[in-house]
Amino acid sequence: MQQTESEPVMMLSRWAAGVTPADTGSLMPRAAEAFADTLACMHAGCDDAAVLAALTAARAAEGPGRAPVYGHDVTLSPAGAALVNATAAHALDYDDNFAPGITHASAVLVPALSALCSTRTISGARLLSAYTVGLELHARISSAVNPDHYGKGWHATSTVGTIGTAGAAAWLLGLDAYGIARAMSLGFSQAAGSKLQFGSDAKPLHAGLAARAAVLSALLAEAGLGAQPEFMTGPWGFVSLYGGTASMDLGGLGSRWALAADGLMVKRFPCCAASHKALDAAEILHQQGIAPDHIAQIAVHMPELLARNLRFDTPVTGAEGRFSLSYPMAALLTDGELTLRHFSGEGFATAPYAALMQKIRRIPFDPGSAGVHAPYRIEVSLTSGKTISIIRGQLCGAGDLPLSAAQMGAKIHDCLAYSGRQDAAGLFTRIAGLAGSVDAGALLSPETSGSWVQAAT
């Protein structure tokens, strides 16, 4: 499909409307893995302060319904459940990253799409296809504004994520091309969120607000509400208002899927992804027997855009600790692991990590065309006078280095153990059968007893 400058949104929407579950069949196992990872993160975050506040507000503002709130014996309207579940998915920053969108795509897509399955019977294959279409919409919308948009301070999860997920939700509901375009346009009218909120409760709420807006936008479009379909271009369009200089990339639609070509960055560590290449290096150092008291200094050379995300050098809360470089590196070098419990409680800048944290520095550089994908260089000066240099270009959990089944199982266990929701383990067994389920909502229900096990025809 060739790019058309005058109507990029309709071109994208017409492509999306023509996608069938058969077109995404080979990608369904990857999509199901993303559902498992995101649902684990929802359970881990279900008791976070931001989530409990969102739940209280959603009960008052959104009202009851049939959509489950994971980790709580509560059901809400689809928009209300999407708000709370997406906030939970992103609360502990353990959810995946999607590089083409510069979004926490799954934290918005999975809660929004699964909430809609509570209102009608939708097959698992259709749900997984909607997720795959949604990733593609995130990538294509992002191509017109990023990295400038993200660099200006916008939190793309709650801008690009709102728009792309609204389109995916509209596709899930069976809307035509014009309906998908209107849903995304209505998402544009609700897209907001600054990176200023990183390190605060409002940061995970951005994912919740994006998921809620996506559900509402799709339902409004289904109800016939009108909106300008070509919202990307023009003086008051998304690109000119939100920062960007490029045209939307519409090349390879249907032949090059972002989920296959780019994949997801599934996190091993429960903190901002900007730190993970450095954390991979810290793990290597620990495995080599480099003790904290042998370290004189660590300089992490990283893209300036990402270095700014890790601005809390002496965090005092778990939320700040997740957006620190010095704290998680010091914890991993000291303890040999980094789990959810490292970000709970208090004393982040105290012993046994305080002395080592003072030795870790961020050294930002201009990555040029490599952008956020540029390799990190970690320079370690030892007290002996020896220097160790580690280059990390690829992340474990991304691209050609996916998490192993054992690593993914350990993550799910960590999430359920942290929240005390081990009784939800059966849900993750059922997800393996999601593509063959005739009723995705029943399969994903916390109260499912087994009636969902019936292959789709």
Side-chain angles (χ1 to χ4, degrees), residues 196-456:
L196 175 70
Q197 301 291 6
F198 283 19
S200 76
D201 288 347
K203 200 266 190 178
L205 182 69
H206 285 177
L209 293 173
R212 177 189 179 279
V215 168
L216 181 60
S217 297
L219 292 173
L220 287 169
E222 183 183 46
L225 189 73
Q228 294 289 347
E230 291 301 332
F231 61 87
M232 289 291 295
T233 55
W236 296 336
F238 185 56
V239 173
S240 63
L241 288 177
Y242 285 68
T245 58
S247 299
M248 191 192 300
D249 179 10
L250 295 174
L253 280 171
S255 60
R256 182 191 183 279
W257 290 92
L259 180 55
D262 303 294
L264 299 162
M265 193 212 109
V266 181
K267 290 186 177 181
R268 286 197 303 150
F269 306 115
C271 52
C272 179
S275 66
H276 284 214
K277 290 179 182 178
L279 294 175
D280 282 348
E283 186 174 60
I284 292 170
L285 292 169
H286 186 271
Q287 291 169 349
Q288 291 178 347
I290 306 298
D293 57 1
H294 294 165
I295 296 171
Q297 180 176 286
I298 299 177
V300 179
H301 299 260
M302 59 191 300
E304 190 271 341
L305 185 66
L306 299 179
R308 280 190 283 151
N309 288 351
L310 305 174
R311 66 185 188 273
F312 295 101
D313 295 323
T314 54
V316 296
T317 67
E320 290 182 357
R322 295 181 193 107
F323 291 89
S324 171
L325 178 66
S326 56
Y327 173 71
M329 281 196 80
L332 182 53
L333 285 162
T334 302
D335 298 337
E337 64 177 358
L338 191 66
T339 70
L340 286 163
R341 297 204 178 275
H342 279 97
F343 296 90
S344 62
E346 299 177 351
F348 294 92
T350 62
Y353 310 122
L356 183 54
M357 287 169 63
Q358 297 301 315
K359 301 175 183 179
I360 299 170
R361 295 186 300 131
R362 292 168 288 143
I363 310 295
F365 66 84
D366 182 353
S369 61
V372 297
H373 305 292
Y376 287 27
R377 187 173 84 256
I378 299 90
E379 300 284 351
V380 184
S381 300
L382 302 181
T383 54
S384 65
K386 180 181 178 181
T387 299
I388 301 172
S389 182
I390 300 175
I391 305 295
R392 295 299 295 178
Q394 179 67 287
L395 273 170
C396 182
D400 296 330
L401 292 173
L403 296 191
S404 66
Q407 288 172 323
M408 193 65 244
K411 178 176 179 178
I412 291 172
H413 179 269
D414 185 29
C415 288
L416 297 183
Y418 179 78
S419 64
R421 300 317 198 269
Q422 292 94 331
D423 57 350
L427 171 63
F428 298 90
T429 302
R430 299 198 300 272
I431 288 174
L434 183 55
S437 170
V438 295
D439 188 344
L443 184 147
L444 295 175
S445 171
E447 299 178 353
T448 291
S449 61
S451 60
W452 60 271
V453 186
Q454 186 175 1

Side-chain angles (χ1 to χ4, degrees), residues 176-199:
D176 62 11
Y178 186 53
I180 293 171
R182 284 186 290 114
M184 289 196 290
S185 183
L186 292 167
F188 160 55
S189 289
Q190 302 170 79
S194 167
K195 291 196 294 178
L196 175 70
Q197 301 291 6
F198 283 19

